[in-house]
Amino acid sequence: MAIDLERVNAVLAGVIDPNTGVDLVKSRAARNVRVDGDIVRLQVELGYPAASQIEPIRERVVQALRAAGATEVHAEVYSKIVAHTVQRGLKVMPNVRNIIAIASGKGGVGKSTVAANLALALAAEGARVGMLDADIYGPSQPTMLGIVGQPSSKDGKTFDPLEGHGIQASSIGFLIDPDQPMVWRGPMVTSALQQLLSLTNWRDLDYLVIDMPPGTGDIQLTLAQQVPVTGAIIVTTPQDIALLDASKGLRMFEKVGVPILGIIENMATHICSQCGHEEHIFGSGGAAKMARQFSVEVLGSLPLDIRIREHSDRGTPTVVADPDGDIARAYKAIARRVAIRIAERARDLSAKMPAIKVSNT
């Protein structure tokens, strides 16, 4: 008996995307479904980068439809990343669909390392990614991404980003002597960051990751108010002191209307490089407690592992240095979860809104 369109849709309603937990019909991922006798053709559109997930999802679709009676299934699975809404009163940047702010209430929690690996994990899943190093006083992304040199300018006003491991990057570290300390006051720092953001010729980015400076002072608040951020991620350790400061960072973003995508718990456990023993040296359960307090999601936990430090110091973060290892898989899982949280937000339709013209008649 020939399979019909109604039966196909019913089957697709039972195929769950393992990353979102939502079926392909409810999520509107199944598109252009056509049935010709026993042959089914369709597309599955994912709203997040998923290079490693495309084939497993395609296999789920094909197996489900064949079990329902289809003799041939032609399923095309692909990702389409669009711009999503930002704070009220701000517009999405040209050539940058989504901006992700990586923040922490204090230094020393591994925020920059997380930011670099998260950006590279998004790129590994097929996204076009940029990195803005917003730490004027202590830029670390040039070292972490293994990038040397200075950006070039074609017009004397704007400059091109440098590239490392397939992602575009801009940092004050590319423009100054690394041995010279920055002694600028707050307004100068804020102005410099705005210029780094707006004068960099970003090239068609799906995501721009901003490695925010640590803390919750005037610089961080001004950035949160003036940069069109799609969502923020708070990085913390399980330690009580770190959680207290992370809570302040979270509240800061809430006050300026920036959605919190979730919390990443870094250094959740220590893994001994000699015996592999795992221990909660900074405590446990802190991020989960904070997530319950603020009704946000724990996006994932990462270990305190000597390899992460070694890879970053060499300019080849773990996602690049050991792409198939456990730590890289953890970063990629977090990156997919971040992208899914963004995909769940309302789309930015400002570019499609018709212009209103007033004329005398």
Side-chain angles (χ1 to χ4, degrees):
M1 183 176 66
I3 187 171
D4 58 18
L5 183 59
E6 182 179 356
R7 174 62 175 157
V8 168
N9 286 328
V11 170
L12 294 175
V15 178
I16 307 298
D17 181 336
N19 300 289
T20 65
V22 182
D23 71 75
L24 301 184
V25 173
K26 186 176 181 180
S27 65
R28 299 182 180 179
R31 296 167 178 262
N32 301 321
V33 181
R34 292 174 293 168
V35 180
D36 182 11
D38 293 334
I39 302 173
V40 179
R41 292 180 173 85
L42 75 153
Q43 294 174 316
V44 177
E45 181 178 291
L46 306 177
Y48 57 94
S52 67
Q53 306 296 300
I54 284 177
E55 189 56 29
I57 291 175
R58 194 187 75 83
E59 278 299 313
R60 284 190 176 208
V61 172
V62 170
Q63 290 176 10
L65 290 172
R66 282 181 174 170
T71 57
E72 286 186 39
V73 179
H74 302 275
E76 178 191 4
V77 183
Y78 62 94
S79 295
K80 181 179 180 181
I81 303 165
V82 301
H84 294 269
T85 55
V86 298
Q87 309 98 298
R88 183 174 299 177
L90 297 180
K91 293 183 178 180
V92 174
M93 286 182 58
N95 298 324
V96 179
R97 295 180 183 87
N98 302 285
I99 294 180
I100 305 169
I102 313 293
S104 65
K106 65 189 295 294
V109 298
K111 169 185 55 61
S112 294
T113 303
V114 170
N117 278 289
L118 182 63
L120 291 167
L122 287 167
E125 289 290 353
R128 294 179 62 88
V129 183
M131 167 67 75
L132 175 66
D133 187 352
D135 194 345
I136 295 295
Y137 296 120
S140 55
Q141 292 302 332
T143 298
M144 289 197 175
L145 295 175
I147 301 175
V148 295
Q150 291 187 326
S152 60
S153 175
K154 296 182 178 69
D155 56 10
K157 298 177 182 179
T158 61
F159 50 90
D160 296 331
L162 298 180
E163 290 197 18
H165 307 301
I167 67 173
Q168 303 168 40
S170 184
S171 171
I172 195 70
F174 299 144
L175 304 171
I176 62 171
D177 185 339
D179 296 325
Q180 293 299 316
M182 300 298 294
V183 291
W184 293 350
R185 294 188 183 274
M188 294 179 66
V189 173
T190 302
S191 176
L193 287 174
Q194 287 283 16
Q195 291 181 62
L196 278 176
L197 178 65
S198 61
L199 298 182
T200 301
N201 297 317
W202 304 109
R203 297 186 297 277
D204 191 30
L205 296 181
D206 295 315
Y207 304 100
L208 174 62
V209 175
I210 299 184
D211 181 10
M212 295 279 287
T216 54
D218 180 64
I219 295 171
Q220 291 82 359
L221 181 60
T222 302
L223 282 173
Q225 290 174 321
Q226 296 182 1
V227 176
V229 178
T230 313
I233 296 171
I234 307 298
V235 179
T236 185
T237 67
Q239 192 174 11
D240 290 344
I241 296 298
L243 289 164
L244 181 63
D245 290 328
S247 298
K248 295 176 183 178
L250 191 151
R251 289 192 182 98
M252 178 193 73
F253 283 110
E254 286 184 336
K255 286 184 177 181
V256 296
V258 174
I260 305 297
L261 300 174
I263 302 168
I264 295 177
E265 188 176 53
N266 198 30
M267 309 181 197
T269 60
H270 173 252
I271 300 175
C272 178
S273 59
Q274 299 299 315
C275 66
H277 175 68
E278 188 172 7
E279 187 175 8
H280 295 272
I281 62 174
F282 291 124
S284 63
K289 181 180 178 181
M290 180 178 167
R292 289 192 298 269
Q293 179 184 353
F294 292 98
S295 299
V296 296
E297 177 182 347
V298 178
L299 298 166
S301 295
L302 297 161
L304 175 61
D305 190 302
I306 191 173
R307 292 170 295 176
I308 298 176
R309 193 272 303 166
E310 290 173 341
H311 294 155
S312 297
D313 286 351
R314 290 200 297 261
T316 54
T318 304
V319 169
V320 173
D322 186 17
D324 299 320
D326 292 342
I327 298 172
R329 283 197 294 270
Y331 274 116
K332 291 175 183 178
I334 293 172
R336 285 195 300 273
R337 189 61 201 153
V338 169
I340 288 166
R341 288 299 311 278
I342 290 174
E344 292 170 348
R345 292 189 46 73
R347 295 188 176 194
D348 175 73
L349 302 176
S350 58
K352 298 182 180 179
M353 295 295 287
I356 299 176
K357 295 182 180 181
V358 179
S359 59
N360 295 323
T361 58

